[in-house]
Amino acid sequence: MSNFQFNLKSKKVNQLCQQTIDILETRTEDEVKKSVDDFQDFWQKYQHEKKLSIAFIGQYNAGKSTLIKALTGDESVRISAEICTDKVTEYAWQDVLLLDTPGIYAGNTEHNDITLERIYKCDLLVFVVPNELFNPQGAEFFQKVANQMQRVGQMVLVVNKMSRESGSPQVLLSTIAKVIEPYYPQQFYTCFIDADSYLKSQDPKYIKYQQSLQTKSNFNDFLDSLQKLIQKNELSAKLV
Ligand SMILES: Nc1nc2c(ncn2[C@@H]2O[C@H](COP(=O)(O)OP(=O)(O)O)[C@@H](O)[C@H]2O)c(=O)[nH]1
Ligand SMILES: [Mg+2]
């Protein structure tokens, strides 16, 4: 079922529920009143729970956690050059729920499956690769998410660590295009950033360099990509 059909169906269900409630609310029998109250309790909670969720996925060590920390400013986000967690962790960012995943790495099929299961339920995805781009597991994982899970149009591709020796985005884009065939980098709002520079720009210790760190981070491009993706998917995302 396409998202569009899903939206229409969901709208119709909402309308039917409201009509039924309107009729039932005119009834005075205790049993009916209780059912209406129960339903309204449930409905309120359900509406409250409906939050947009975005999973950060990709290779481990690509900078997924750094990116989440840069977005949320949450000090509890763990960053490490080692594999530091095999769990999916949730962080609140405004009205959005961010999921930090351990990332995909070789010889870890069980945890990779856990990650896959969690991201199935997420509205949108941010796929992070480092400036060296995809390793073989990363490329395979990307294809799995785009192809098998059909998440094209719901995913941003972020190339992180651009402050390192990286080559120009133009050159990187042509390499990316080969890996993600038959798709194009533009379909993934591909952006080139340095999350670590943005994180530093938020640190009072580096206040003197705040502006230059922010420029170097190119973080606004990532925010733009994310904003476009949220706007494009807003209705369907909230209904999932
Ligand atoms: N130079 C540079 N290093 C980064 C950047 N982002 C993350 N790192 C470093 O890469 C390592 C892994 O980062 P982390 O966010 O834990 O990666 P994750 O495994 O994808 O969550 C850490 O040592 C970070 O400090 C970046 O934008 N630039
Ligand atoms: Mg991490």
Side-chain angles (χ1 to χ4, degrees):
M1 200 190 307
S2 78
N3 282 336
F4 187 56
Q5 283 172 317
F6 179 68
N7 280 343
L8 289 178
K9 286 233 156 83
S10 174
K11 218 178 190 170
K12 187 80 195 156
V13 170
N14 275 309
Q15 268 171 3
L16 285 173
C17 281
Q18 198 50 55
Q19 279 166 10
T20 315
I21 289 292
D22 288 348
I23 293 166
L24 286 175
E25 270 185 328
T26 63
R27 303 270 296 268
T28 50
E29 296 96 318
D30 282 350
E31 231 170 83
V32 180
K33 273 175 128 174
K34 185 167 181 323
S35 294
V36 172
D37 283 349
D38 284 351
F39 177 78
Q40 279 181 334
D41 271 357
F42 160 80
W43 197 241
Q44 263 183 5
K45 270 192 207 129
Y46 172 73
Q47 297 289 337
H48 195 68
E49 277 168 15
K50 269 202 311 189
K51 243 186 182 181
L52 185 71
S53 57
I54 307 178
F56 287 64
I57 61 174
Q59 292 154 207
Y60 94 90
N61 208 29
K64 299 177 296 299
S65 302
T66 306
L67 195 44
I68 289 183
K69 194 167 188 167
L71 273 178
T72 59
D74 190 329
E75 285 301 321
S76 71
V77 179
R78 287 183 62 192
I79 293 170
S80 167
E82 307 297 315
I83 299 171
C84 61
T85 175
D86 52 20
K87 281 208 267 314
V88 175
T89 317
E90 294 181 355
Y91 300 94
W93 176 52
Q94 297 163 17
D95 284 335
V96 184
L97 193 66
L98 305 182
L99 273 84
D100 194 7
T101 71
I104 293 297
Y105 43 99
N108 196 26
T109 337
E110 198 182 313
H111 288 133
N112 293 351
D113 285 349
I114 294 173
T115 300
L116 279 175
E117 208 171 289
R118 288 299 299 273
I119 65 177
Y120 256 116
K121 295 178 195 148
C122 266
D123 300 318
L124 302 173
L125 307 170
V126 174
F127 197 105
V128 189
V129 291
N131 62 313
E132 297 97 346
L133 304 179
F134 296 90
N135 64 21
Q137 290 88 34
E140 193 188 320
F141 183 44
F142 185 90
Q143 285 293 350
K144 196 169 192 167
V145 177
N147 255 321
Q148 263 165 263
M149 295 170 77
Q150 301 191 325
R151 301 307 293 258
V152 183
Q154 298 170 347
M155 175 154 70
V156 170
L157 176 60
V158 174
V159 182
N160 190 34
K161 305 198 184 186
M162 285 300 290
S163 68
R164 305 201 301 192
E165 202 56 52
S166 303
S168 72
Q170 224 51 40
V171 172
L172 296 177
L173 277 172
S174 64
T175 311
I176 292 170
K178 283 184 202 131
V179 178
I180 69 173
E181 260 178 358
Y183 308 108
Y184 301 100
Q186 297 88 321
Q187 288 175 281
F188 301 93
Y189 310 89
T190 303
C191 55
F192 298 86
I193 66 161
D194 194 82
D196 191 52
S197 297
Y198 188 79
L199 196 57
K200 284 206 178 92
S201 78
Q202 303 301 297
D203 186 335
K205 231 173 36 199
Y206 298 100
I207 188 83
K208 243 172 84 185
Y209 308 104
Q210 189 176 48
Q211 199 51 51
S212 63
L213 282 167
Q214 268 183 27
T215 308
K216 191 165 143 191
S217 75
N218 204 26
F219 207 69
N220 277 339
D221 262 16
F222 168 62
L223 292 177
D224 277 354
S225 293
L226 203 54
Q227 192 57 39
K228 279 185 200 138
L229 191 72
I230 290 174
Q231 258 164 15
K232 179 174 174 275
N233 282 279
E234 191 153 49
L235 281 172
S236 53
K238 281 189 173 165
L239 289 168
V240 171

PDB file of all heavy atoms in Angstrom, residues 194-216:
ATOM      1  N   ASP A 194      30.862  17.729   9.079  1.00  0.00           N
ATOM      2  CA  ASP A 194      31.790  17.286  10.111  1.00  0.00           C
ATOM      3  C   ASP A 194      31.109  17.507  11.460  1.00  0.00           C
ATOM      4  O   ASP A 194      31.140  18.613  12.014  1.00  0.00           O
ATOM      5  CB  ASP A 194      33.112  18.056  10.011  1.00  0.00           C
ATOM      6  CG  ASP A 194      34.199  17.370  10.836  1.00  0.00           C
ATOM      7  OD1 ASP A 194      34.815  16.410  10.350  1.00  0.00           O
ATOM      8  OD2 ASP A 194      34.383  17.780  12.006  1.00  0.00           O
ATOM      9  N   ALA A 195      30.461  16.462  11.941  1.00  0.00           N
ATOM     10  CA  ALA A 195      29.650  16.574  13.164  1.00  0.00           C
ATOM     11  C   ALA A 195      30.503  16.983  14.359  1.00  0.00           C
ATOM     12  O   ALA A 195      30.050  17.721  15.237  1.00  0.00           O
ATOM     13  CB  ALA A 195      28.940  15.249  13.437  1.00  0.00           C
ATOM     14  N   ASP A 196      31.743  16.504  14.374  1.00  0.00           N
ATOM     15  CA  ASP A 196      32.628  16.803  15.496  1.00  0.00           C
ATOM     16  C   ASP A 196      32.908  18.311  15.574  1.00  0.00           C
ATOM     17  O   ASP A 196      32.933  18.884  16.665  1.00  0.00           O
ATOM     18  CB  ASP A 196      33.927  16.010  15.330  1.00  0.00           C
ATOM     19  CG  ASP A 196      34.775  16.068  16.583  1.00  0.00           C
ATOM     20  OD1 ASP A 196      34.240  15.771  17.667  1.00  0.00           O
ATOM     21  OD2 ASP A 196      35.958  16.438  16.477  1.00  0.00           O
ATOM     22  N   SER A 197      33.092  18.953  14.432  1.00  0.00           N
ATOM     23  CA  SER A 197      33.331  20.399  14.423  1.00  0.00           C
ATOM     24  C   SER A 197      32.106  21.138  14.968  1.00  0.00           C
ATOM     25  O   SER A 197      32.242  22.113  15.713  1.00  0.00           O
ATOM     26  CB  SER A 197      33.624  20.913  13.010  1.00  0.00           C
ATOM     27  OG  SER A 197      34.797  20.325  12.535  1.00  0.00           O
ATOM     28  N   TYR A 198      30.927  20.664  14.601  1.00  0.00           N
ATOM     29  CA  TYR A 198      29.722  21.326  15.112  1.00  0.00           C
ATOM     30  C   TYR A 198      29.622  21.153  16.621  1.00  0.00           C
ATOM     31  O   TYR A 198      29.307  22.099  17.352  1.00  0.00           O
ATOM     32  CB  TYR A 198      28.456  20.796  14.430  1.00  0.00           C
ATOM     33  CG  TYR A 198      27.257  21.625  14.822  1.00  0.00           C
ATOM     34  CD1 TYR A 198      27.022  22.858  14.213  1.00  0.00           C
ATOM     35  CD2 TYR A 198      26.411  21.216  15.847  1.00  0.00           C
ATOM     36  CE1 TYR A 198      25.967  23.660  14.602  1.00  0.00           C
ATOM     37  CE2 TYR A 198      25.347  22.016  16.248  1.00  0.00           C
ATOM     38  CZ  TYR A 198      25.129  23.228  15.622  1.00  0.00           C
ATOM     39  OH  TYR A 198      24.086  24.026  16.022  1.00  0.00           O
ATOM     40  N   LEU A 199      29.921  19.938  17.075  1.00  0.00           N
ATOM     41  CA  LEU A 199      29.875  19.660  18.514  1.00  0.00           C
ATOM     42  C   LEU A 199      30.835  20.597  19.259  1.00  0.00           C
ATOM     43  O   LEU A 199      30.485  21.193  20.275  1.00  0.00           O
ATOM     44  CB  LEU A 199      30.268  18.194  18.743  1.00  0.00           C
ATOM     45  CG  LEU A 199      29.944  17.579  20.094  1.00  0.00           C
ATOM     46  CD1 LEU A 199      28.461  17.677  20.395  1.00  0.00           C
ATOM     47  CD2 LEU A 199      30.367  16.104  20.104  1.00  0.00           C
ATOM     48  N   LYS A 200      32.023  20.744  18.718  1.00  0.00           N
ATOM     49  CA  LYS A 200      33.022  21.649  19.335  1.00  0.00           C
ATOM     50  C   LYS A 200      32.516  23.096  19.337  1.00  0.00           C
ATOM     51  O   LYS A 200      32.733  23.828  20.295  1.00  0.00           O
ATOM     52  CB  LYS A 200      34.349  21.569  18.568  1.00  0.00           C
ATOM     53  CG  LYS A 200      35.147  20.307  18.862  1.00  0.00           C
ATOM     54  CD  LYS A 200      36.648  20.551  18.637  1.00  0.00           C
ATOM     55  CE  LYS A 200      37.467  19.319  18.976  1.00  0.00           C
ATOM     56  NZ  LYS A 200      37.681  18.452  17.813  1.00  0.00           N
ATOM     57  N   SER A 201      31.830  23.474  18.266  1.00  0.00           N
ATOM     58  CA  SER A 201      31.365  24.867  18.171  1.00  0.00           C
ATOM     59  C   SER A 201      30.369  25.196  19.287  1.00  0.00           C
ATOM     60  O   SER A 201      30.149  26.361  19.608  1.00  0.00           O
ATOM     61  CB  SER A 201      30.732  25.147  16.803  1.00  0.00           C
ATOM     62  OG  SER A 201      29.414  24.629  16.752  1.00  0.00           O
ATOM     63  N   GLN A 202      29.762  24.158  19.858  1.00  0.00           N
ATOM     64  CA  GLN A 202      28.794  24.358  20.940  1.00  0.00           C
ATOM     65  C   GLN A 202      29.460  24.368  22.312  1.00  0.00           C
ATOM     66  O   GLN A 202      28.810  24.606  23.325  1.00  0.00           O
ATOM     67  CB  GLN A 202      27.732  23.243  20.909  1.00  0.00           C
ATOM     68  CG  GLN A 202      26.983  23.117  19.603  1.00  0.00           C
ATOM     69  CD  GLN A 202      26.264  24.396  19.240  1.00  0.00           C
ATOM     70  OE1 GLN A 202      25.376  24.842  19.951  1.00  0.00           O
ATOM     71  NE2 GLN A 202      26.670  25.013  18.134  1.00  0.00           N
ATOM     72  N   ASP A 203      30.761  24.091  22.342  1.00  0.00           N
ATOM     73  CA  ASP A 203      31.494  23.973  23.602  1.00  0.00           C
ATOM     74  C   ASP A 203      32.095  25.336  23.976  1.00  0.00           C
ATOM     75  O   ASP A 203      32.845  25.917  23.171  1.00  0.00           O
ATOM     76  CB  ASP A 203      32.615  22.931  23.386  1.00  0.00           C
ATOM     77  CG  ASP A 203      33.355  22.607  24.676  1.00  0.00           C
ATOM     78  OD1 ASP A 203      33.356  23.460  25.591  1.00  0.00           O
ATOM     79  OD2 ASP A 203      33.939  21.513  24.735  1.00  0.00           O
ATOM     80  N   PRO A 204      31.772  25.853  25.177  1.00  0.00           N
ATOM     81  CA  PRO A 204      32.295  27.170  25.579  1.00  0.00           C
ATOM     82  C   PRO A 204      33.821  27.264  25.474  1.00  0.00           C
ATOM     83  O   PRO A 204      34.363  28.340  25.228  1.00  0.00           O
ATOM     84  CB  PRO A 204      31.866  27.284  27.050  1.00  0.00           C
ATOM     85  CG  PRO A 204      30.746  26.322  27.215  1.00  0.00           C
ATOM     86  CD  PRO A 204      30.918  25.233  26.202  1.00  0.00           C
ATOM     87  N   LYS A 205      34.482  26.111  25.593  1.00  0.00           N
ATOM     88  CA  LYS A 205      35.950  26.091  25.495  1.00  0.00           C
ATOM     89  C   LYS A 205      36.438  26.634  24.141  1.00  0.00           C
ATOM     90  O   LYS A 205      37.518  27.191  24.023  1.00  0.00           O
ATOM     91  CB  LYS A 205      36.402  24.630  25.620  1.00  0.00           C
ATOM     92  CG  LYS A 205      37.478  24.424  26.653  1.00  0.00           C
ATOM     93  CD  LYS A 205      37.857  22.985  26.940  1.00  0.00           C
ATOM     94  CE  LYS A 205      37.861  21.990  25.818  1.00  0.00           C
ATOM     95  NZ  LYS A 205      37.807  20.600  26.253  1.00  0.00           N
ATOM     96  N   TYR A 206      35.626  26.429  23.124  1.00  0.00           N
ATOM     97  CA  TYR A 206      36.037  26.828  21.765  1.00  0.00           C
ATOM     98  C   TYR A 206      35.292  28.063  21.280  1.00  0.00           C
ATOM     99  O   TYR A 206      35.174  28.281  20.076  1.00  0.00           O
ATOM    100  CB  TYR A 206      35.805  25.669  20.781  1.00  0.00           C
ATOM    101  CG  TYR A 206      36.607  24.436  21.090  1.00  0.00           C
ATOM    102  CD1 TYR A 206      36.023  23.360  21.749  1.00  0.00           C
ATOM    103  CD2 TYR A 206      37.954  24.349  20.722  1.00  0.00           C
ATOM    104  CE1 TYR A 206      36.751  22.211  22.044  1.00  0.00           C
ATOM    105  CE2 TYR A 206      38.685  23.210  21.013  1.00  0.00           C
ATOM    106  CZ  TYR A 206      38.084  22.147  21.671  1.00  0.00           C
ATOM    107  OH  TYR A 206      38.803  21.019  21.951  1.00  0.00           O
ATOM    108  N   ILE A 207      34.806  28.851  22.240  1.00  0.00           N
ATOM    109  CA  ILE A 207      33.956  29.995  21.876  1.00  0.00           C
ATOM    110  C   ILE A 207      34.616  30.902  20.838  1.00  0.00           C
ATOM    111  O   ILE A 207      33.953  31.411  19.938  1.00  0.00           O
ATOM    112  CB  ILE A 207      33.519  30.784  23.151  1.00  0.00           C
ATOM    113  CG1 ILE A 207      32.478  31.851  22.826  1.00  0.00           C
ATOM    114  CG2 ILE A 207      34.690  31.410  23.877  1.00  0.00           C
ATOM    115  CD1 ILE A 207      31.087  31.309  22.749  1.00  0.00           C
ATOM    116  N   LYS A 208      35.942  31.050  20.947  1.00  0.00           N
ATOM    117  CA  LYS A 208      36.674  31.928  20.032  1.00  0.00           C
ATOM    118  C   LYS A 208      36.560  31.464  18.570  1.00  0.00           C
ATOM    119  O   LYS A 208      36.637  32.236  17.634  1.00  0.00           O
ATOM    120  CB  LYS A 208      38.163  31.918  20.422  1.00  0.00           C
ATOM    121  CG  LYS A 208      38.680  33.266  20.871  1.00  0.00           C
ATOM    122  CD  LYS A 208      40.072  33.197  21.421  1.00  0.00           C
ATOM    123  CE  LYS A 208      41.136  33.255  20.348  1.00  0.00           C
ATOM    124  NZ  LYS A 208      42.484  33.058  20.931  1.00  0.00           N
ATOM    125  N   TYR A 209      36.422  30.148  18.415  1.00  0.00           N
ATOM    126  CA  TYR A 209      36.397  29.574  17.056  1.00  0.00           C
ATOM    127  C   TYR A 209      34.987  29.174  16.621  1.00  0.00           C
ATOM    128  O   TYR A 209      34.823  28.480  15.627  1.00  0.00           O
ATOM    129  CB  TYR A 209      37.309  28.344  16.988  1.00  0.00           C
ATOM    130  CG  TYR A 209      38.695  28.621  17.499  1.00  0.00           C
ATOM    131  CD1 TYR A 209      39.098  28.179  18.759  1.00  0.00           C
ATOM    132  CD2 TYR A 209      39.599  29.350  16.731  1.00  0.00           C
ATOM    133  CE1 TYR A 209      40.367  28.455  19.246  1.00  0.00           C
ATOM    134  CE2 TYR A 209      40.867  29.630  17.208  1.00  0.00           C
ATOM    135  CZ  TYR A 209      41.244  29.181  18.464  1.00  0.00           C
ATOM    136  OH  TYR A 209      42.485  29.466  18.927  1.00  0.00           O
ATOM    137  N   GLN A 210      34.010  29.594  17.416  1.00  0.00           N
ATOM    138  CA  GLN A 210      32.640  29.114  17.175  1.00  0.00           C
ATOM    139  C   GLN A 210      32.216  29.257  15.702  1.00  0.00           C
ATOM    140  O   GLN A 210      31.750  28.287  15.095  1.00  0.00           O
ATOM    141  CB  GLN A 210      31.664  29.865  18.075  1.00  0.00           C
ATOM    142  CG  GLN A 210      30.274  29.257  18.039  1.00  0.00           C
ATOM    143  CD  GLN A 210      29.336  29.941  19.006  1.00  0.00           C
ATOM    144  OE1 GLN A 210      29.257  31.162  19.049  1.00  0.00           O
ATOM    145  NE2 GLN A 210      28.649  29.166  19.805  1.00  0.00           N
ATOM    146  N   GLN A 211      32.410  30.454  15.163  1.00  0.00           N
ATOM    147  CA  GLN A 211      31.942  30.712  13.811  1.00  0.00           C
ATOM    148  C   GLN A 211      32.662  29.829  12.783  1.00  0.00           C
ATOM    149  O   GLN A 211      32.040  29.205  11.931  1.00  0.00           O
ATOM    150  CB  GLN A 211      32.125  32.196  13.486  1.00  0.00           C
ATOM    151  CG  GLN A 211      31.272  32.668  12.331  1.00  0.00           C
ATOM    152  CD  GLN A 211      29.799  32.290  12.495  1.00  0.00           C
ATOM    153  OE1 GLN A 211      29.196  32.552  13.533  1.00  0.00           O
ATOM    154  NE2 GLN A 211      29.231  31.628  11.487  1.00  0.00           N
ATOM    155  N   SER A 212      34.004  29.769  12.921  1.00  0.00           N
ATOM    156  CA  SER A 212      34.748  29.000  11.913  1.00  0.00           C
ATOM    157  C   SER A 212      34.459  27.499  12.038  1.00  0.00           C
ATOM    158  O   SER A 212      34.383  26.787  11.043  1.00  0.00           O
ATOM    159  CB  SER A 212      36.247  29.287  11.993  1.00  0.00           C
ATOM    160  OG  SER A 212      36.737  28.881  13.244  1.00  0.00           O
ATOM    161  N   LEU A 213      34.252  27.035  13.286  1.00  0.00           N
ATOM    162  CA  LEU A 213      33.912  25.610  13.469  1.00  0.00           C
ATOM    163  C   LEU A 213      32.556  25.303  12.842  1.00  0.00           C
ATOM    164  O   LEU A 213      32.367  24.253  12.217  1.00  0.00           O
ATOM    165  CB  LEU A 213      33.897  25.253  14.957  1.00  0.00           C
ATOM    166  CG  LEU A 213      35.262  25.050  15.614  1.00  0.00           C
ATOM    167  CD1 LEU A 213      35.145  25.030  17.143  1.00  0.00           C
ATOM    168  CD2 LEU A 213      35.914  23.751  15.127  1.00  0.00           C
ATOM    169  N   GLN A 214      31.632  26.229  13.017  1.00  0.00           N
ATOM    170  CA  GLN A 214      30.292  25.996  12.444  1.00  0.00           C
ATOM    171  C   GLN A 214      30.349  25.965  10.916  1.00  0.00           C
ATOM    172  O   GLN A 214      29.716  25.124  10.280  1.00  0.00           O
ATOM    173  CB  GLN A 214      29.332  27.080  12.912  1.00  0.00           C
ATOM    174  CG  GLN A 214      28.616  26.655  14.178  1.00  0.00           C
ATOM    175  CD  GLN A 214      27.593  27.669  14.656  1.00  0.00           C
ATOM    176  OE1 GLN A 214      27.050  28.423  13.878  1.00  0.00           O
ATOM    177  NE2 GLN A 214      27.360  27.682  15.952  1.00  0.00           N
ATOM    178  N   THR A 215      31.142  26.874  10.356  1.00  0.00           N
ATOM    179  CA  THR A 215      31.286  26.901   8.895  1.00  0.00           C
ATOM    180  C   THR A 215      31.913  25.596   8.414  1.00  0.00           C
ATOM    181  O   THR A 215      31.439  24.961   7.472  1.00  0.00           O
ATOM    182  CB  THR A 215      32.164  28.097   8.465  1.00  0.00           C
ATOM    183  OG1 THR A 215      31.622  29.259   9.072  1.00  0.00           O
ATOM    184  CG2 THR A 215      32.218  28.254   6.969  1.00  0.00           C
ATOM    185  N   LYS A 216      32.969  25.188   9.124  1.00  0.00           N
ATOM    186  CA  LYS A 216      33.673  23.958   8.755  1.00  0.00           C
ATOM    187  C   LYS A 216      32.746  22.734   8.852  1.00  0.00           C
ATOM    188  O   LYS A 216      32.866  21.794   8.074  1.00  0.00           O
ATOM    189  CB  LYS A 216      34.859  23.792   9.720  1.00  0.00           C
ATOM    190  CG  LYS A 216      35.847  22.734   9.353  1.00  0.00           C
ATOM    191  CD  LYS A 216      37.107  22.967  10.176  1.00  0.00           C
ATOM    192  CE  LYS A 216      37.758  21.697  10.622  1.00  0.00           C
ATOM    193  NZ  LYS A 216      38.805  21.916  11.614  1.00  0.00           N
TER     194      LYS A 216
END
